[in-house]
Amino acid sequence: MKKYLSKILIFSSPIILVIVFIIVIDPYDFINISHVISDSDKIKVLNRSNASEPRGNVIWKYISYRRKPIENLLIGDSQGKYFDTAYIREITGEKYFNFNIPGGSYKTMFSLFWYATKLTKLKNVYFQCGFMNYNAYRDYNLINYGVDLVNNPITYFSNFKFLEDSYYNAYYALTKNEKLVEIYYLKMTLQELDSLAEYRITNMFKKYKYPETYYKELKKITDYCKENDITFRFVITPNYIGLEKYIKKFGLTEDRDRFKSDLKSLAPTIDMEYLDGLSNDRSKYYDYFHCRREYVSRLVDMIWGKTNINSFIKDNSDGQ
Amino acid sequence: MLLTSFSYFVLLFITFVIFYAVPDKKKWIILLLSSLLFVGWLSINILIFTLIFSILNYFFGIILENSKSNITKKRLYTLFIITNVGILAFYKYINFLIDNLNVISSLFTSTLQFSHMDILIPVGISYYTFQSIGNLILIYRGTEKAERNIGKYILMLIFFPKFLSGPVERSNHFFPQIKSLRSFDSAIVTAGFRLFLFGMFKKVVIANNLSDIVFNSYGNLSVYSGMPLIVTFLIQAIYIYTDFSGYTDMALGSAKVFGIDLLPNFNRPFLAKNVTEFWKRWHMSLSLWCNDFIFKPLMIKYRAWGNNAAILSVFVTFLVIGIWHGANWTFVVLGVLQAIAITYEFLSKKQRLRFYKKLPKEVVLWSGRVITYLFFSFSLIFFYSKNIGDAFSFISQMFENFSFKFSGYSIVSNMEYFIMALTLFIILFLIEIFSEKGYDIQGKILKLPVFVRWTGYYVMIACIYYFSNNQETFVYMQF
């Protein structure tokens, strides 16, 4: 039997090596023992592709928030992913956690909110909302990536995706090959970005149903915040005016208006959907609903009251 | 905890190490403890339910054996069987019964409607109920003694490799083995792990990559028609076979690690020449159980009826097999279809043999195999459909918008994986054909140098690792 066990050990050595490799690289700081790769590199790697971004962000943020919960939160989808918490801290003097998940559905945002309430007493919540995702057919929940890992830690070693992540981390750390972590939409021409925008919008709008249950869930959240003395704001981030054509084309104007009035009936809403000076300039967007990173700090200024919400009207030349 | 999960493998490995570290006489205790842990891990409620069920049947067996007079014995036997069937029927069929009562009552009155009962079907109940009934029948017939050790009795019902999905084990096959658990034998243990690995490969790499097309088609019948449904029709039998036989191999392999041989479930079913033979090769533990405990007793009882006895027995047996799969008229149709085919084969045997003599042997053989496969695929439409209406929609939609173009229609999420899985199945099928002809392919593989074999195992493990992120589903677990 002893001989057999040692034979099994020899046979298993490649598997053991894989486990050790994942522990050492630790792409999501899940084990949190080895730190051979910096967190900033890990974040770059998890954002390496359209496919890795949603999953990577959920897992990273889910684990990181679990380890260190913060009382001030930003929750939302990719439209708010560039909200810089360090800059917000500079303005407000308070620490914020950015729980914006690229590709995050409303269900994901609801789950993230309740997840945060379980870990800490919240103080400020900025709930970034977009009409694009406010669709009953977009009913997936990305938080499961994080929940599954925490509930079943063995998957960190048994799920191939984590080995793949570890490999990319190691490869990037060794080669510093920026192509690996280059954000795909930064390489695209305006024409390609337009096609991407059209593809995405059509995908999101061609099958639409107003999500009655989302309103109820949002109400539950705002009621909870009122009861628990939590300052709660909805934030509607700016879109390129070209989006309006598609909203009309798919007959969704009424639904969009209802969406906004629903939000406003529940909590104070910072509505920046179409900002003069920003929304009418295609070059300030990647696609039609993702404002370029360099303009996001201006939005932060507006949301946290450093500048007037109409500052883009006054100065639309450089955006800085 | 599915058999394909890493946690299951950890449980299997720890049990294996402790199992061979304790004296032979205590080995069954380790298996019992692991089985309790396995069931408890699924749900504490299931564990409690299963324990009560097992203890009840343990005493049924002893009481039945101890009853002196034949009349008492017969009455008790009937009562115990009804109790077992009643428990199964209550959990599995009560809401089906309510639905049908509502349909009937709606014909007479609109006021009398019964509401559904909010009950969860205990996982594995169809498997262990049939095992306990089988044990009671054998005790009643006097061919087996009631097990006096309650621990071993519970182990017979809940032995962890077979708990979720069978095989439908027989007590007279299982008890002798756990009473003579052997010391460590590296050849047997290795064979067990190898079978486990092979089963997992079949399930994770082949079946999981074929599952998309089946679930997408049946889940979105309003969207698909024509070619995608025809492809689904042709693939669905391969999917269910690789899924179920893969899982069974994992169960058989796990048990073999402890020196226990569970009943086999599959014997190259797609090489069956007719439906009668198919059911001797497909889900064998269930069909054998039904043959011994339903078909044969009925045949004996009604033997005076001649051919009619056979027809009656076939229909009753396949109705039970159909309903065993679930509470739905689709499963009734599934069973009836098999019964019709087998009856036809039985009644037309002489004429068919006369006709076959005029044809080349290989033509007869392969046309029989193809027809049997197509017939089975056809009956699977009722297996996968949510209701009879959906099944007929599937059949009619197969011939709508017919075109030889198969663009995928997003019915397969990854076409490369789908083709790879299909290719692997073809290789597997070729191995089955050669094995059927008597070539010992496994023996030849085992004679290869260690380096080659280990490389093969690593490739299989790597494939399993790569494909294991897919959401796990296992069709036969619902039964």
Side-chain angles (χ1 to χ4, degrees), chain A residues 21 25-28 37-38 41-46 48 162 164-174 180:
Chain A
F21 178 64
I25 303 294
D26 200 5
Y28 293 97
I37 292 170
S38 70
D41 280 359
K42 285 178 185 174
I43 291 169
K44 270 189 190 174
V45 171
L46 65 87
R48 70 187 176 273
F162 293 103
E164 195 182 18
D165 291 329
S166 306
Y167 163 76
Y168 280 118
N169 270 288
Y171 183 73
Y172 181 65
L174 291 172
L180 183 79

Side-chain angles (χ1 to χ4, degrees), chain B residues 68-86:
Chain B
K68 299 268 158 45
S69 87
N70 279 345
I71 297 166
T72 321
K73 196 169 190 172
K74 193 170 185 179
R75 282 181 184 158
L76 283 171
Y77 168 68
T78 311
L79 176 72
F80 296 159
I81 297 291
I82 288 173
T83 308
N84 270 283
V85 174

